[in-house]
Amino acid sequence: MNSVLLHCCCAPCSLSCIDPLRAEDIEPTAFWYNPNIHPWKEYQARRDCLLDYAPAIGMEVRVREDYGLTEFVRNTACDLEARCQAYCYRVRMEAAARYAAEHGFPAFTTTLLASPYQNHDGIIRLGQEFSEQYGVEFLYRDFRPNFREGNRRARELGFYMQKYCGCIFSEADRYRKQIERDQEKFAE
Protein backbone atom coordinates (compact mmCIF):
# COMPACT_ATOMS: atom_id res chain seq x y z
CA MET A 1 0.00 0.00 0.00
CA ASN A 2 1.49 3.32 -1.04
CA SER A 3 -1.55 5.55 -0.63
CA VAL A 4 -4.36 6.11 1.82
CA LEU A 5 -7.46 8.26 1.87
CA LEU A 6 -7.12 10.35 5.02
CA HIS A 7 -10.43 11.71 6.27
CA CYS A 8 -9.56 15.13 7.70
CA CYS A 9 -11.61 17.01 10.25
CA CYS A 10 -9.18 19.95 10.20
CA ALA A 11 -5.66 20.97 9.20
CA PRO A 12 -4.22 20.98 12.76
CA CYS A 13 -5.21 17.34 13.35
CA SER A 14 -3.85 16.39 9.93
CA LEU A 15 -0.39 17.48 11.10
CA SER A 16 -0.46 14.65 13.64
CA CYS A 17 -1.01 12.11 10.85
CA ILE A 18 0.75 13.17 7.65
CA ASP A 19 4.40 12.86 8.73
CA PRO A 20 3.95 9.46 10.43
CA LEU A 21 2.21 8.12 7.33
CA ARG A 22 4.88 9.49 5.02
CA ALA A 23 7.57 8.01 7.28
CA GLU A 24 6.01 4.64 6.42
CA ASP A 25 6.13 5.54 2.71
CA ILE A 26 2.34 5.96 2.65
CA GLU A 27 1.10 9.02 0.79
CA PRO A 28 -2.11 10.47 2.22
CA THR A 29 -4.77 12.09 0.08
CA ALA A 30 -6.90 14.29 2.30
CA PHE A 31 -10.66 13.81 2.20
CA TRP A 32 -12.81 16.65 3.51
CA TYR A 33 -16.29 15.55 4.50
CA ASN A 34 -17.64 16.95 7.76
CA PRO A 35 -21.38 17.63 7.73
CA ASN A 36 -21.31 17.70 11.53
CA ILE A 37 -19.33 20.94 11.80
CA HIS A 38 -21.37 24.06 12.60
CA PRO A 39 -21.99 26.93 12.27
CA TRP A 40 -21.16 27.70 8.64
CA LYS A 41 -18.25 30.02 9.47
CA GLU A 42 -16.62 27.27 11.53
CA TYR A 43 -17.11 24.74 8.75
CA GLN A 44 -15.72 27.18 6.18
CA ALA A 45 -12.69 28.14 8.32
CA ARG A 46 -11.67 24.52 8.88
CA ARG A 47 -12.18 23.51 5.25
CA ASP A 48 -10.34 26.51 3.86
CA CYS A 49 -7.40 26.14 6.25
CA LEU A 50 -6.91 22.58 5.02
CA LEU A 51 -7.25 23.65 1.38
CA ASP A 52 -4.76 26.49 1.87
CA TYR A 53 -2.19 24.31 3.64
CA ALA A 54 -2.24 21.15 1.55
CA PRO A 55 -0.47 22.54 -1.55
CA ALA A 56 2.45 23.69 0.61
CA ILE A 57 3.20 20.07 1.51
CA GLY A 58 2.20 18.56 -1.81
CA MET A 59 -0.91 16.83 -0.47
CA GLU A 60 -3.97 16.41 -2.65
CA VAL A 61 -7.35 17.23 -1.10
CA ARG A 62 -10.65 15.78 -2.23
CA VAL A 63 -13.70 17.69 -1.05
CA ARG A 64 -17.18 16.31 -0.63
CA GLU A 65 -18.99 19.54 0.07
CA ASP A 66 -21.91 19.07 2.44
CA TYR A 67 -22.76 21.60 5.10
CA GLY A 68 -25.28 19.27 6.66
CA LEU A 69 -26.91 21.19 9.49
CA THR A 70 -30.45 19.99 8.81
CA GLU A 71 -29.40 16.36 8.40
CA PHE A 72 -27.18 16.60 11.48
CA VAL A 73 -30.01 17.90 13.65
CA ARG A 74 -32.43 15.33 12.24
CA ASN A 75 -30.01 12.50 13.10
CA THR A 76 -28.89 13.63 16.54
CA ALA A 77 -31.85 15.41 18.16
CA CYS A 78 -33.36 12.24 19.64
CA ASP A 79 -30.18 11.19 21.48
CA LEU A 80 -27.66 13.98 21.92
CA GLU A 81 -25.45 11.94 24.24
CA ALA A 82 -24.85 9.32 21.53
CA ARG A 83 -24.36 11.81 18.69
CA CYS A 84 -20.62 11.28 18.22
CA GLN A 85 -20.77 7.52 17.81
CA ALA A 86 -24.24 7.24 16.31
CA TYR A 87 -23.87 10.01 13.74
CA CYS A 88 -20.74 12.17 13.64
CA TYR A 89 -18.16 9.39 13.47
CA ARG A 90 -20.43 7.01 11.58
CA VAL A 91 -21.39 9.30 8.71
CA ARG A 92 -17.82 10.44 8.11
CA MET A 93 -16.19 7.02 8.41
CA GLU A 94 -18.72 5.49 6.05
CA ALA A 95 -18.26 8.29 3.53
CA ALA A 96 -14.47 7.83 3.65
CA ALA A 97 -14.71 4.06 3.17
CA ARG A 98 -17.18 4.43 0.31
CA TYR A 99 -15.09 7.15 -1.37
CA ALA A 100 -11.93 5.07 -1.01
CA ALA A 101 -13.64 2.05 -2.60
CA GLU A 102 -15.17 4.07 -5.43
CA HIS A 103 -11.94 5.91 -6.26
CA GLY A 104 -9.40 3.09 -6.09
CA PHE A 105 -7.75 3.78 -2.75
CA PRO A 106 -6.51 0.58 -1.09
CA ALA A 107 -7.20 1.97 2.39
CA PHE A 108 -8.69 4.77 4.43
CA THR A 109 -8.04 6.28 7.85
CA THR A 110 -8.98 9.41 9.76
CA THR A 111 -7.48 12.31 11.66
CA LEU A 112 -10.07 11.59 14.35
CA LEU A 113 -7.52 9.02 15.57
CA ALA A 114 -5.19 11.90 16.50
CA SER A 115 -7.35 13.50 19.15
CA PRO A 116 -7.19 12.33 22.76
CA TYR A 117 -10.69 13.81 23.14
CA GLN A 118 -12.40 11.40 20.73
CA ASN A 119 -13.73 7.89 21.40
CA HIS A 120 -10.76 6.05 19.94
CA ASP A 121 -12.21 2.55 20.32
CA GLY A 122 -15.51 3.59 18.77
CA ILE A 123 -13.72 5.06 15.76
CA ILE A 124 -11.74 1.84 15.32
CA ARG A 125 -14.93 -0.26 15.45
CA LEU A 126 -16.57 1.89 12.78
CA GLY A 127 -13.44 1.82 10.63
CA GLN A 128 -13.43 -1.97 10.76
CA GLU A 129 -17.17 -2.17 10.09
CA PHE A 130 -16.96 0.01 6.99
CA SER A 131 -13.76 -1.69 5.86
CA GLU A 132 -15.68 -4.95 5.64
CA GLN A 133 -18.74 -3.33 4.09
CA TYR A 134 -16.84 -1.54 1.30
CA GLY A 135 -13.93 -3.92 0.82
CA VAL A 136 -11.13 -1.47 1.55
CA GLU A 137 -8.60 -1.69 4.35
CA PHE A 138 -9.06 0.46 7.43
CA LEU A 139 -5.55 1.65 8.19
CA TYR A 140 -5.44 1.94 11.95
CA ARG A 141 -2.74 4.05 13.52
CA ASP A 142 -2.76 5.59 16.96
CA PHE A 143 -1.85 9.15 16.06
CA ARG A 144 -2.55 10.49 19.58
CA PRO A 145 1.13 10.61 20.64
CA ASN A 146 1.63 13.22 17.88
CA PHE A 147 -1.34 15.40 18.93
CA ARG A 148 0.46 18.03 21.07
CA GLU A 149 3.30 18.38 18.57
CA GLY A 150 0.80 18.71 15.72
CA ASN A 151 -1.02 21.48 17.56
CA ARG A 152 2.25 23.24 18.35
CA ARG A 153 3.19 23.16 14.67
CA ALA A 154 -0.29 24.33 13.66
CA ARG A 155 0.03 27.40 15.91
CA GLU A 156 3.53 28.02 14.57
CA LEU A 157 2.18 27.89 11.00
CA GLY A 158 -0.67 30.25 11.86
CA PHE A 159 -3.45 27.73 11.22
CA TYR A 160 -6.99 28.39 12.23
CA MET A 161 -7.26 26.58 15.58
CA GLN A 162 -10.77 25.51 16.47
CA LYS A 163 -11.93 25.63 20.05
CA TYR A 164 -14.34 22.69 19.97
CA CYS A 165 -14.89 19.36 18.24
CA GLY A 166 -17.25 20.68 15.61
CA CYS A 167 -20.94 20.38 16.32
CA ILE A 168 -23.05 23.00 18.03
CA PHE A 169 -23.44 20.75 21.05
CA SER A 170 -19.68 20.37 21.50
CA GLU A 171 -19.44 24.17 21.35
CA ALA A 172 -21.97 24.33 24.20
CA ASP A 173 -19.85 21.77 26.10
CA ARG A 174 -16.88 24.11 25.65
CA TYR A 175 -18.77 26.86 27.48
CA ARG A 176 -20.51 24.60 30.02
CA LYS A 177 -18.71 25.99 33.10
CA GLN A 178 -19.37 29.57 32.01
CA ILE A 179 -23.02 28.75 31.32
CA GLU A 180 -23.37 27.19 34.78
CA ARG A 181 -21.72 30.21 36.44
CA ASP A 182 -24.07 32.54 34.58
CA GLN A 183 -27.07 30.44 35.59
CA GLU A 184 -26.04 30.66 39.24
CA LYS A 185 -25.33 34.37 38.95
CA PHE A 186 -28.72 35.16 37.45
CA ALA A 187 -30.79 32.58 39.36
CA GLU A 188 -33.81 34.02 41.09
Side-chain angles (χ1 to χ4, degrees), residues 38 68-80 87 169:
H38 311 109
L69 179 59
T70 301
E71 204 54 34
F72 169 79
V73 172
R74 186 176 291 128
N75 283 282
T76 60
C78 291
D79 189 358
L80 295 178
Y87 182 74
F169 302 109

Side-chain angles (χ1 to χ4, degrees), residues 6 10 14 19-20 22 30 48 68 70 104 110 112 126-127 139 162 173:
L6 174 65
C10 63
S14 74
D19 287 344
R22 286 180 168 172
D48 292 354
T70 301
T110 180
L112 294 169
L126 287 169
L139 181 69
Q162 63 272 9
D173 289 345

